[in-house]
């Protein structure tokens, strides 16, 4: 089984191109935070190259820019080619699905793990959207 699920921030604007046959292809890199802090108390990140094709490529190119949070589902692909007499090996994620995964946006602060929270510490959802703010942890009945 070869399945990859990633969520991270774009390290640069996605690059949309077309093949000679007119098929859209989009390349980009995701900075994906690791789950644990390093010795300095900071979260390290892995920078993962990705490629998307056709409608998925167009969706990513149209809706995402550098720094935006993106969720992807796909598979690991390897390929190689010759460049100036040297064999070049490439490992990348071939993206099958792409999702909005939140964003920093105005009035929001980043917690250092790639997730955005309101700068004032309040609820992440707007008023009137059907969500009720949870009480502080000290007020929970369990």
């Amino acid at each position: 089984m070869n399945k990859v699920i990633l969520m991270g921030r774009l390290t640069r604007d996605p690059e949309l191109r077309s093949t000679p046959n007119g098929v859209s292809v989009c390349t980009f890199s995701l900075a994906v935070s690791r789950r644990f802090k390093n010795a300095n108390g900071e979260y390290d990140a892995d920078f993962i190259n990705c490629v998307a094709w056709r409608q998925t490529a167009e969706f990513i190119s149209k809706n995402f820019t550098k720094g935006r949070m993106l969720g992807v589902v796909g598979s690991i692909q390897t390929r190689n080619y010759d460049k100036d007499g040297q064999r070049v090996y490439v490992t990348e994620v071939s993206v099958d699905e792409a999702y909005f995964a939140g964003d920093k946006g105005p009035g929001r602060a980043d917690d250092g793990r790639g997730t955005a929270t309101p700068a004032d510490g309040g609820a992440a959802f707007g008023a009137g959207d059907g969500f009720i703010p949870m009480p502080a942890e000290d007020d929970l009945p369990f």
Side-chain angles (χ1 to χ4, degrees):
M1 179 181 288
N2 182 356
K3 186 155 186 133
V4 175
I5 302 171
L6 300 171
M7 185 170 70
R9 293 200 180 274
L10 287 164
T11 62
R12 56 182 163 79
D13 287 342
E15 183 180 326
L16 182 66
R17 298 182 318 259
S18 292
T19 66
N21 294 333
V23 177
S24 298
V25 59
C26 179
T27 55
F28 57 95
S29 177
L30 284 180
V32 179
S33 295
R34 294 187 181 173
R35 292 177 24 176
F36 303 102
K37 293 181 180 181
N38 62 20
N40 298 329
E42 300 169 347
Y43 291 99
D44 288 329
D46 293 302
F47 299 90
I48 301 170
N49 293 324
C50 301
V51 61
W53 296 86
R54 297 176 181 78
Q55 292 86 358
T56 305
E58 293 168 12
F59 171 77
I60 292 168
S61 175
K62 179 181 173 185
N63 293 291
F64 295 91
T65 56
K66 178 181 177 178
R68 296 277 314 261
M69 184 72 77
L70 171 64
V72 298
V73 177
S75 58
I76 297 282
Q77 262 187 354
T78 60
R79 58 187 171 87
N80 60 71
Y81 60 93
D82 288 322
K83 182 177 181 179
D84 301 328
Q86 295 286 331
R87 177 69 64 174
V88 178
Y89 295 91
V90 178
T91 301
E92 59 199 0
V93 172
S94 177
V95 176
D96 298 321
E97 305 168 36
Y99 299 95
F100 291 103
D103 202 355
K104 206 154 98 168
R108 297 175 73 84
D110 192 334
D111 69 359
R113 293 191 60 210
T115 58
T117 56
D120 63 1
F125 303 99
D129 59 9
F131 290 92
I132 301 169
M134 294 293 297
E137 244 182 73
D138 297 341
D139 298 337
L140 293 177
F142 48 89

